[in-house]
């Protein structure tokens, strides 16, 4: 379950920011996660709750913003939305797609005290 190590990394980033920006409590964190990131969302939620116990992020609300997958179709020269990484272009049916978004996993913002 690599989600636990992802949660530990997120906590480390939050603690580093708390020290750098002089805050003591994190109320809410918003993550942007794409469909190709390889992250199991329920496992991430569980891991986040476990990892943040007895930290400045204890009881922090975890909000996950699921982003869309997009790709550039070389055949129809357009950006298209895709659900799976290796699917055909929904416009022209071509298979020459270059994924341009959907693999992100990042902290969008935090609400702190």
């Amino acid at each position: 379950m690599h989600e636990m190590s992802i949660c530990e990394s997120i906590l480390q980033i939050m603690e580093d920011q708390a020290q750098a920006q002089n805050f003591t409590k994190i109320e809410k964190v918003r993550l942007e996660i794409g469909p190709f990131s390889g992250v199991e969302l329920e496992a991430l939620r569980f891991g986040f709750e476990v990892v943040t116990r007895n930290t400045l992020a204890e009881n922090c609300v975890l909000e996950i913003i699921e982003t869309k997958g997009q790709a550039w179709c070389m055949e129809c020269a357009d950006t298209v939305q895709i659900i799976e990484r290796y699917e055909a272009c929904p416009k022209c049916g071509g298979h020459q797609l270059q994924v341009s978004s959907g693999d992100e996993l990042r902290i969008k913002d935090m609400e702190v005290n």
Side-chain angles (χ1 to χ4, degrees), residues 26-86:
I26 301 172
E27 303 291 336
K28 184 178 200 176
V29 63
R30 287 181 198 84
L31 304 179
E32 289 182 329
I33 302 177
F36 313 135
S37 65
V39 175
E40 172 57 47
L41 299 182
E42 288 308 310
L44 186 75
R45 285 185 176 96
F46 174 78
F48 187 81
E49 184 180 327
V50 171
V51 167
T52 57
R53 286 184 189 147
N54 301 316
T55 71
L56 74 158
E58 185 168 25
N59 298 319
C60 174
V61 174
L62 173 63
E63 182 179 321
I64 296 175
I65 301 164
E66 295 182 62
T67 62
K68 305 279 187 205
Q70 289 188 327
W72 173 257
C73 178
M74 294 180 201
E75 293 182 39
C76 65
D78 201 2
T79 299
V80 294
Q81 185 173 323
I82 57 175
I83 297 170
E84 294 181 15
R85 187 176 285 275
Y86 299 108

